[in-house]
Short mmCIF file of all heavy atoms in Angstrom, two decimals:
data_model
loop_
_atom_site.label_atom_id
_atom_site.label_comp_id
_atom_site.label_asym_id
_atom_site.label_seq_id
_atom_site.Cartn_x
_atom_site.Cartn_y
_atom_site.Cartn_z
N GLY A 705 81.90 51.23 60.91
CA GLY A 705 82.03 51.98 62.18
C GLY A 705 82.74 51.22 63.29
O GLY A 705 82.63 51.55 64.39
N LYS A 706 83.52 50.23 62.89
CA LYS A 706 84.22 49.48 63.94
C LYS A 706 85.58 50.13 64.28
O LYS A 706 86.15 49.72 65.32
CB LYS A 706 84.52 47.99 63.41
CG LYS A 706 83.16 47.18 63.25
CD LYS A 706 83.56 45.83 62.84
CE LYS A 706 82.26 44.98 62.71
NZ LYS A 706 82.56 43.53 62.31
N VAL A 707 85.92 51.16 63.67
CA VAL A 707 87.04 51.94 64.00
C VAL A 707 86.64 53.41 64.09
O VAL A 707 85.96 53.91 63.15
CB VAL A 707 88.22 51.91 62.93
CG1 VAL A 707 89.38 52.78 63.30
CG2 VAL A 707 88.69 50.42 62.71
N ARG A 708 86.85 54.00 65.22
CA ARG A 708 86.43 55.39 65.39
C ARG A 708 87.50 56.31 64.83
O ARG A 708 88.70 56.19 65.24
CB ARG A 708 86.25 55.71 67.00
CG ARG A 708 85.16 55.06 67.61
CD ARG A 708 84.87 55.48 69.01
NE ARG A 708 85.91 55.06 69.90
CZ ARG A 708 86.88 55.98 70.41
NH1 ARG A 708 86.78 57.21 70.17
NH2 ARG A 708 87.76 55.52 71.27
N MET A 709 87.12 57.17 63.96
CA MET A 709 88.10 58.10 63.34
C MET A 709 87.95 59.54 63.87
O MET A 709 86.79 60.03 63.94
CB MET A 709 87.94 58.18 61.82
CG MET A 709 88.99 58.95 61.16
SD MET A 709 88.78 59.28 59.41
CE MET A 709 87.50 60.44 59.44
N GLY A 710 88.96 60.16 64.19
CA GLY A 710 89.03 61.54 64.55
C GLY A 710 90.09 62.28 63.78
O GLY A 710 91.19 61.76 63.59
N VAL A 711 89.66 63.41 63.20
CA VAL A 711 90.62 64.26 62.45
C VAL A 711 91.25 65.30 63.30
O VAL A 711 90.58 65.80 64.24
CB VAL A 711 89.86 64.90 61.33
CG1 VAL A 711 90.64 65.96 60.57
CG2 VAL A 711 89.38 63.88 60.29
N ILE A 712 92.57 65.52 63.10
CA ILE A 712 93.23 66.51 63.80
C ILE A 712 93.67 67.63 62.82
O ILE A 712 94.48 67.37 61.89
CB ILE A 712 94.49 65.99 64.48
CG1 ILE A 712 94.03 64.87 65.53
CG2 ILE A 712 95.35 67.00 65.17
CD1 ILE A 712 95.22 64.12 66.05
N ALA A 713 93.17 68.85 63.03
CA ALA A 713 93.61 69.99 62.22
C ALA A 713 94.99 70.35 62.73
O ALA A 713 95.12 70.78 63.93
CB ALA A 713 92.67 71.08 62.28
N ASN A 714 96.01 70.21 61.90
CA ASN A 714 97.38 70.38 62.40
C ASN A 714 98.05 71.66 61.87
O ASN A 714 97.86 71.97 60.75
CB ASN A 714 98.19 69.08 62.07
CG ASN A 714 99.51 68.97 62.85
OD1 ASN A 714 99.60 69.45 63.98
ND2 ASN A 714 100.49 68.49 62.21
N ARG A 715 98.90 72.19 62.67
CA ARG A 715 99.70 73.37 62.30
C ARG A 715 98.88 74.46 61.80
O ARG A 715 99.07 75.19 60.79
CB ARG A 715 100.81 73.03 61.22
CG ARG A 715 101.83 72.07 61.71
CD ARG A 715 102.98 72.00 60.72
NE ARG A 715 102.60 71.59 59.43
CZ ARG A 715 102.51 70.32 59.01
NH1 ARG A 715 102.70 69.25 59.80
NH2 ARG A 715 102.04 70.04 57.75
N VAL A 716 97.82 74.75 62.63
CA VAL A 716 96.82 75.77 62.18
C VAL A 716 97.13 77.18 62.75
O VAL A 716 97.43 77.27 63.88
CB VAL A 716 95.36 75.36 62.70
CG1 VAL A 716 94.36 76.45 62.43
CG2 VAL A 716 94.97 74.05 62.03
N ASN A 717 97.04 78.14 61.81
CA ASN A 717 97.10 79.54 62.25
C ASN A 717 95.76 80.17 61.83
O ASN A 717 95.56 80.35 60.59
CB ASN A 717 98.25 80.28 61.63
CG ASN A 717 98.39 81.74 62.19
OD1 ASN A 717 97.42 82.32 62.58
ND2 ASN A 717 99.62 82.26 62.17
N ALA A 718 94.85 80.34 62.65
CA ALA A 718 93.50 80.75 62.33
C ALA A 718 93.47 82.09 61.55
O ALA A 718 92.52 82.46 60.90
CB ALA A 718 92.55 80.84 63.54
N ARG A 719 94.55 82.88 61.71
CA ARG A 719 94.52 84.25 61.10
C ARG A 719 95.06 84.16 59.66
O ARG A 719 94.96 85.14 58.98
CB ARG A 719 95.47 85.13 61.87
CG ARG A 719 94.96 85.44 63.31
CD ARG A 719 95.95 86.26 64.10
NE ARG A 719 97.12 85.44 64.37
CZ ARG A 719 98.15 85.88 65.08
NH1 ARG A 719 98.15 87.11 65.54
NH2 ARG A 719 99.16 85.08 65.27
N THR A 720 95.52 82.96 59.20
CA THR A 720 95.99 82.86 57.80
C THR A 720 94.83 82.27 56.97
O THR A 720 93.95 81.61 57.39
CB THR A 720 97.19 81.95 57.73
OG1 THR A 720 96.89 80.60 58.07
CG2 THR A 720 98.32 82.54 58.70
N LYS A 721 94.98 82.51 55.59
CA LYS A 721 94.04 82.01 54.68
C LYS A 721 94.15 80.43 54.63
O LYS A 721 93.10 79.74 54.50
CB LYS A 721 94.31 82.50 53.28
CG LYS A 721 93.94 83.97 53.15
CD LYS A 721 94.12 84.44 51.74
CE LYS A 721 93.71 85.88 51.59
NZ LYS A 721 93.92 86.40 50.23
N GLY A 722 95.30 79.88 54.79
CA GLY A 722 95.51 78.39 54.86
C GLY A 722 94.69 77.82 56.00
O GLY A 722 94.05 76.78 55.82
N GLY A 723 94.81 78.43 57.24
CA GLY A 723 94.10 77.88 58.39
C GLY A 723 92.60 78.00 58.14
O GLY A 723 91.84 77.08 58.46
N GLN A 724 92.14 79.08 57.50
CA GLN A 724 90.71 79.20 57.29
C GLN A 724 90.21 78.17 56.23
O GLN A 724 89.14 77.68 56.32
CB GLN A 724 90.47 80.64 56.81
CG GLN A 724 90.71 81.69 57.94
CD GLN A 724 90.90 83.09 57.37
OE1 GLN A 724 90.55 83.38 56.20
NE2 GLN A 724 91.24 84.01 58.24
N ARG A 725 91.11 78.00 55.18
CA ARG A 725 90.66 77.02 54.17
C ARG A 725 90.61 75.62 54.77
O ARG A 725 89.68 74.84 54.40
CB ARG A 725 91.63 77.05 52.98
CG ARG A 725 91.50 78.20 52.09
CD ARG A 725 92.27 77.94 50.76
NE ARG A 725 93.67 77.76 50.95
CZ ARG A 725 94.61 78.71 50.89
NH1 ARG A 725 94.15 79.90 50.67
NH2 ARG A 725 95.89 78.44 51.18
N LEU A 726 91.45 75.24 55.63
CA LEU A 726 91.34 73.96 56.30
C LEU A 726 90.11 73.78 57.11
O LEU A 726 89.55 72.69 57.01
CB LEU A 726 92.62 73.79 57.22
CG LEU A 726 92.74 72.43 57.96
CD1 LEU A 726 92.69 71.24 57.02
CD2 LEU A 726 93.93 72.37 58.88
N GLN A 727 89.76 74.83 57.83
CA GLN A 727 88.55 74.70 58.64
C GLN A 727 87.33 74.49 57.74
O GLN A 727 86.48 73.67 58.03
CB GLN A 727 88.37 75.94 59.48
CG GLN A 727 89.48 76.14 60.55
CD GLN A 727 89.47 75.14 61.68
OE1 GLN A 727 88.58 74.26 61.72
NE2 GLN A 727 90.45 75.14 62.52
N LEU A 728 87.28 75.23 56.57
CA LEU A 728 86.17 75.09 55.64
C LEU A 728 86.16 73.70 55.02
O LEU A 728 85.16 73.10 54.80
CB LEU A 728 86.29 76.17 54.57
CG LEU A 728 85.89 77.52 55.01
CD1 LEU A 728 86.21 78.53 53.86
CD2 LEU A 728 84.42 77.62 55.43
N PHE A 729 87.41 73.19 54.69
CA PHE A 729 87.58 71.83 54.07
C PHE A 729 86.94 70.80 55.03
O PHE A 729 86.22 69.97 54.59
CB PHE A 729 89.03 71.60 53.79
CG PHE A 729 89.34 70.18 53.39
CD1 PHE A 729 89.19 69.76 52.18
CD2 PHE A 729 89.91 69.33 54.31
CE1 PHE A 729 89.53 68.44 51.78
CE2 PHE A 729 90.29 68.03 53.99
CZ PHE A 729 90.04 67.61 52.66
N LEU A 730 87.35 70.82 56.25
CA LEU A 730 86.86 69.83 57.21
C LEU A 730 85.39 69.97 57.55
O LEU A 730 84.65 68.98 57.70
CB LEU A 730 87.66 69.98 58.57
CG LEU A 730 89.11 69.70 58.42
CD1 LEU A 730 89.89 69.98 59.75
CD2 LEU A 730 89.41 68.29 57.97
N SER A 731 84.85 71.22 57.51
CA SER A 731 83.53 71.40 57.78
C SER A 731 82.62 70.92 56.58
O SER A 731 81.59 70.30 56.79
CB SER A 731 83.24 72.92 57.90
OG SER A 731 81.84 73.21 58.08
N ASP A 732 83.11 71.11 55.31
CA ASP A 732 82.33 70.57 54.23
C ASP A 732 82.32 69.13 54.13
O ASP A 732 81.31 68.59 53.63
CB ASP A 732 82.99 71.12 52.94
CG ASP A 732 82.80 72.66 52.73
OD1 ASP A 732 81.93 73.19 53.38
OD2 ASP A 732 83.58 73.22 51.88
N LEU A 733 83.35 68.38 54.70
CA LEU A 733 83.35 67.01 54.61
C LEU A 733 82.63 66.36 55.87
O LEU A 733 82.45 65.15 55.93
CB LEU A 733 84.80 66.50 54.60
CG LEU A 733 85.59 66.73 53.35
CD1 LEU A 733 87.06 66.17 53.45
CD2 LEU A 733 84.92 66.17 52.13
N HIS A 734 82.23 67.20 56.72
CA HIS A 734 81.46 66.71 57.99
C HIS A 734 82.34 65.74 58.81
O HIS A 734 81.86 64.69 59.18
CB HIS A 734 80.07 66.19 57.62
CG HIS A 734 79.24 67.07 56.82
ND1 HIS A 734 78.63 68.27 57.33
CD2 HIS A 734 78.86 67.16 55.44
CE1 HIS A 734 78.00 68.93 56.40
NE2 HIS A 734 78.15 68.24 55.29
N LEU A 735 83.57 66.00 58.87
CA LEU A 735 84.44 65.13 59.59
C LEU A 735 84.50 65.50 61.11
O LEU A 735 84.39 66.61 61.47
CB LEU A 735 85.85 65.20 59.07
CG LEU A 735 86.02 64.77 57.58
CD1 LEU A 735 87.42 65.03 57.08
CD2 LEU A 735 85.61 63.32 57.50
N PRO A 736 84.64 64.47 61.97
CA PRO A 736 84.82 64.79 63.39
C PRO A 736 86.10 65.30 63.77
O PRO A 736 87.12 64.60 63.83
CB PRO A 736 84.55 63.44 64.05
CG PRO A 736 84.99 62.39 62.98
CD PRO A 736 84.68 63.01 61.72
N VAL A 737 86.24 66.60 63.96
CA VAL A 737 87.56 67.24 64.35
C VAL A 737 87.67 67.12 65.84
O VAL A 737 86.99 67.79 66.62
CB VAL A 737 87.59 68.72 63.85
CG1 VAL A 737 88.92 69.34 64.25
CG2 VAL A 737 87.30 68.79 62.37
#
């Protein structure tokens, strides 16, 4: 934990399946978005 990591969801279009899959992917990994 000596380096703070933040994830950036990039090029997201929430209305597309790709954008929705990315949000689920990050949620499942419990990453700090």
Side-chain angles (χ1 to χ4, degrees):
K706 294 184 178 181
V707 178
R708 293 188 291 110
M709 184 187 78
V711 170
I712 299 170
N714 194 33
R715 297 192 301 271
V716 173
N717 184 336
R719 294 173 294 181
T720 66
K721 289 183 178 179
Q724 294 164 8
R725 283 197 300 268
L726 178 58
Q727 298 292 354
L728 287 173
F729 170 78
L730 297 175
S731 177
D732 288 345
L733 292 180
H734 305 289
L735 296 173
V737 181

